[in-house]
Amino acid sequence: GQNIDQPTEMTATEGAIVQINCTYQTSGFNGLFWYQQHAGEAPTFLSYNVLDGLEEKGRFSSFLSRSKGYSYLLLKELQMKDSASYLCAVRDRDRDDKIIFGKGTRLHILP
Amino acid sequence: EAQVTQNPRYLITVTGKKLTVTCSQNMNHEYMSWYRQDPGLGLRQIYYSMNVEVTDKGDVPEGYKVSRKEKRNFPLILESPSPNQTSLYFCASSLDGHYEQYFGPGTRLTVT
């Protein structure tokens, strides 16, 4: 089976840096996605990691350690518009490459 | 504009009245999927399709049907809706299931 854990909620201050962690247990890991979802809207793709290391895209970076079953999403120079839920999703080779979503982390940005 | 569309966006219905939620994508994607999203439970996959005429069950398929007769369309059918199917539904598509998914705007369904 598989299990994906993320903190339920986090709070950070505008202009700061925040790290959202995701741990997973799956027998056939085959890639990890991060999505952003504003309240009442559809999820939108942020990043994809399949190899260990850091992927940087502007203010957002995503890190993966396959041996530790661990990923994080790093958001720099936080803006009010970054207030959203962040969803970690894992593709499982042993389940026909199905993509399993975590429950998401709701991020609140304070001015 | 590349997009995934869903209709209707909002629907209130009664128990047992068959309904269909349509989903269409204009990106020539092979992979399409339906999810439901409930508070505290996250996104859960209902059904997915790797290509035309190929559909498979996700994690919560009970009470739902799908079909994939054309590449661009992937309707979700509730033959006899029940109140526990009240939820926010998202359709998504991907190039071939290995890449990022593009989500539709969502359909908020209430079954009374």
Side-chain angles (χ1 to χ4, degrees):
Chain A
Q2 74 290 314
N3 195 37
I4 301 171
D5 290 310
Q6 314 177 225
T8 304
E9 286 191 79
M10 298 181 71
T11 301
T13 305
E14 192 177 15
I17 299 173
V18 71
Q19 177 175 311
I20 302 173
N21 296 326
C22 171
T23 58
Y24 61 88
Q25 297 93 41
T26 182
S27 49
F29 176 82
N30 197 22
L32 186 144
F33 299 86
W34 283 97
Y35 286 83
Q36 180 190 59
Q37 185 179 22
H38 285 101
E41 298 183 11
T44 55
F45 170 76
L46 289 177
S47 69
Y48 173 63
N49 296 72
V50 65
L51 300 176
D52 289 351
L54 188 68
E55 296 276 345
E56 295 187 76
K57 267 191 195 179
R59 293 189 300 115
F60 292 9
S61 304
S62 58
F63 171 82
L64 175 67
S65 168
R66 289 173 296 170
S67 62
K68 294 181 179 174
Y70 168 69
S71 173
Y72 67 72
L73 181 69
L74 191 72
L75 291 74
K76 303 175 188 174
E77 301 168 19
L78 285 169
Q79 302 175 9
M80 297 303 292
K81 67 178 182 180
D82 297 330
S83 291
S85 288
Y86 291 86
L87 315 180
C88 172
V90 172
R91 189 161 69 210
D92 189 341
R93 184 189 300 114
D94 290 347
R95 295 190 60 190
D96 298 324
D97 268 346
K98 277 184 190 172
I99 297 170
I100 313 298
F101 281 82
K103 295 178 181 178
T105 299
R106 193 175 307 152
L107 177 64
H108 305 277
I109 308 296
L110 303 176
Chain B
E1 181 192 351
Q3 60 182 350
V4 179
T5 57
Q6 294 178 227
N7 282 292
R9 294 288 314 279
Y10 303 90
L11 180 59
I12 300 173
T13 190
V14 296
T15 299
K17 186 177 181 182
K18 180 179 179 180
L19 67 92
T20 299
V21 184
T22 64
C23 173
S24 183
Q25 51 93 3
N26 62 0
M27 295 170 278
N28 203 36
H29 284 169
E30 293 188 350
Y31 180 95
M32 297 186 75
S33 180
W34 275 103
Y35 294 90
R36 60 178 291 174
Q37 188 173 39
D38 303 288
L41 295 178
L43 275 169
R44 293 179 294 166
Q45 191 177 51
I46 303 170
Y47 269 95
Y48 65 99
S49 169
M50 298 296 287
N51 213 326
V52 176
E53 302 291 1
V54 179
T55 62
D56 281 295
K57 295 178 180 178
D59 293 315
V60 288
E62 294 78 22
Y64 305 94
K65 285 174 59 177
V66 292
S67 68
R68 187 90 182 274
K69 293 186 172 60
E70 310 162 278
K71 200 175 207 179
R72 62 184 294 128
N73 296 323
F74 191 44
L76 179 69
I77 303 153
L78 285 73
E79 295 269 4
S80 183
S82 62
N84 65 11
Q85 292 178 299
T86 291
S87 188
L88 178 59
Y89 290 86
F90 287 103
C91 178
S93 74
S94 170
L95 191 60
D96 66 359
H98 292 102
Y99 299 95
E100 69 269 25
Q101 294 185 74
Y102 295 81
F103 284 80
T107 296
R108 189 166 290 282
L109 173 66
T110 301
V111 184
T112 62

